[in-house]
Amino acid sequence: RKVGAYAIAAGVFGGLLGWAATRSGVENLEGVVIWSALFSAMLRYATPLIFASIGGMFSERSGVVNIGLEGMMILGTWFGAWGAINYGAWVGLLTGLLGGALGGLLHGVATVHFGVDHIISGVAINILAPGVTRFLSSEVFADYPGGSITQSPRVPGVGSFTFPVVAGGEVGGWSSPDVLGWLGRKDWFFASDVANLGRGLVTQVSYVTIIALALVPISTWVLWRTRFGLRLRICGERPEAGESQGVDVYRYKYIGVIISGAFAGLAGAFIASPELSGIYLEGQTTGRGYIGLAALIFGNWIPVGVLGGALLFG
């Protein structure tokens, strides 16, 4: 708890420094652009961390530590790019999800079925995934125009959404007012800064980011308000109690790990999309799986806390 409090304090202090620097050096429209871009980028970079950390939460709630989030994310980047290039952006997200789920299934077979140490299995997946994707690139992307053994051609995106009225989005071809932008340009103390912050969170928001944010309340409801969630948590906290009630503990552990891998794969597919890079590139996850695991621990293994950690790191 002390570490979490220190981290939050450091984030607030850094934000205050940035606010002071921004207030002292820019005027009106420039301040709107800087603040809106800053918080828009925060939300964009936090999106894969939200997916990865929520996925890790499902795995750990089932009693399986998933150190392999990074490797599953790497699989998601390759399969997501391949699916998007060949079948469209939304199919790319689905294939990225399935690629990560395969990594989760492998982790489940090793840890649940064969009893391999969770850390060893996760590290092995993190080592295996880059080699697998490099081999697949040599067999597939190397034959595509603009592709090579280390990268893919350009990847299409699913698009973004700007909220009408509050940020100037369009409604049926009609350009709505930009209330937050207007307030931000007034340069009123604090009120304009809050408006600029809010505008960054509702301007050109990727549809995938909206899905990631929706996962927070959905995951809360699933884990703490459904029979499935109760059984999943029992398998992680008191598996002997679950067995005494007829719960198939092994099956629920598999489900938890596969969900974890699927969300990590979805995070990887987002990284390869135009919202972040627009191309599959070897090594592009840059440790985001480990950061997602850190956000999970920071958030105390609950969805709202995980969201806060992901946004802070983003």
Side-chain angles (χ1 to χ4, degrees):
R1 290 181 179 177
K2 287 184 179 180
V3 173
Y6 292 152
I8 293 174
V12 172
F13 180 68
L16 289 174
L17 289 178
W19 171 81
T22 305
R23 294 288 299 182
S24 63
V26 297
E27 297 292 339
N28 298 331
L29 183 59
E30 293 179 0
V32 174
V33 171
I34 290 175
W35 273 96
S36 297
L38 172 65
F39 286 97
S40 178
M42 176 197 71
L43 193 60
R44 188 168 64 251
Y45 282 102
T47 298
L49 304 182
I50 295 172
F51 281 125
S53 52
I54 287 182
M57 180 185 63
F58 273 91
S59 180
E60 301 222 9
R61 285 291 179 180
S62 71
V64 179
V65 178
N66 193 354
I67 301 295
L69 289 172
E70 176 76 6
M72 298 169 196
M73 193 181 291
I74 291 172
L75 292 174
T77 59
W78 193 93
F79 282 99
W82 174 82
I85 291 169
N86 289 284
Y87 304 106
W90 287 106
V91 176
L93 293 175
L94 178 60
T95 54
L97 183 148
L98 293 175
L102 288 175
L105 177 62
L106 177 61
H107 189 48
V109 170
T111 57
V112 178
H113 189 77
F114 291 105
V116 175
D117 182 90
H118 300 179
I119 306 300
I120 293 175
S121 174
V123 171
I125 291 174
N126 291 338
I127 296 172
L128 179 65
V132 170
T133 53
R134 186 177 180 86
F135 169 76
L136 291 173
S137 295
S138 69
E139 296 296 312
V140 179
F141 288 154
D143 297 329
Y144 286 8
S148 70
I149 193 174
T150 59
Q151 70 177 47
S152 72
R154 299 299 298 178
V155 176
V158 298
S160 59
F161 177 76
T162 297
F163 288 80
V165 182
V166 292
E170 293 188 356
V171 180
W174 169 68
S175 296
S176 68
D178 183 2
V179 174
L180 292 178
W182 171 83
L183 182 57
R185 285 188 289 272
K186 290 298 181 180
D187 201 26
W188 291 335
F189 176 76
F190 188 72
S192 293
D193 295 315
V194 173
N196 293 335
L197 185 157
R199 191 175 186 276
L201 299 178
V202 295
T203 303
Q204 293 183 341
V205 182
S206 170
Y207 291 113
V208 184
T209 299
I210 296 175
I211 294 173
L213 295 174
L215 274 178
V216 176
I218 292 173
S219 299
T220 302
W221 177 76
V222 168
L223 286 173
W224 279 274
R225 292 291 185 270
T226 66
R227 179 180 298 179
F228 167 80
L230 175 61
R231 292 181 174 181
L232 188 76
R233 289 185 290 116
I234 284 176
C235 292
E237 298 172 12
R238 292 293 180 87
E240 65 278 2
E243 289 179 346
S244 68
Q245 296 296 318
V247 176
D248 189 342
V249 174
Y250 279 12
R251 181 164 66 92
Y252 276 89
K253 285 182 179 291
Y254 266 111
I255 292 173
V257 179
I258 292 173
I259 290 175
S260 177
F263 284 161
L266 191 56
F270 180 79
I271 292 172
S273 70
E275 283 77 8
L276 277 188
S277 60
I279 191 173
Y280 163 77
L281 188 65
E282 188 176 76
Q284 69 187 141
T285 56
T286 59
R288 285 185 176 91
Y290 301 111
I291 299 174
L293 186 63
L296 171 64
I297 298 170
F298 176 89
N300 200 29
W301 295 273
I302 59 175
V304 174
V306 162
L307 174 63
L311 289 174
L312 178 62
F313 289 123

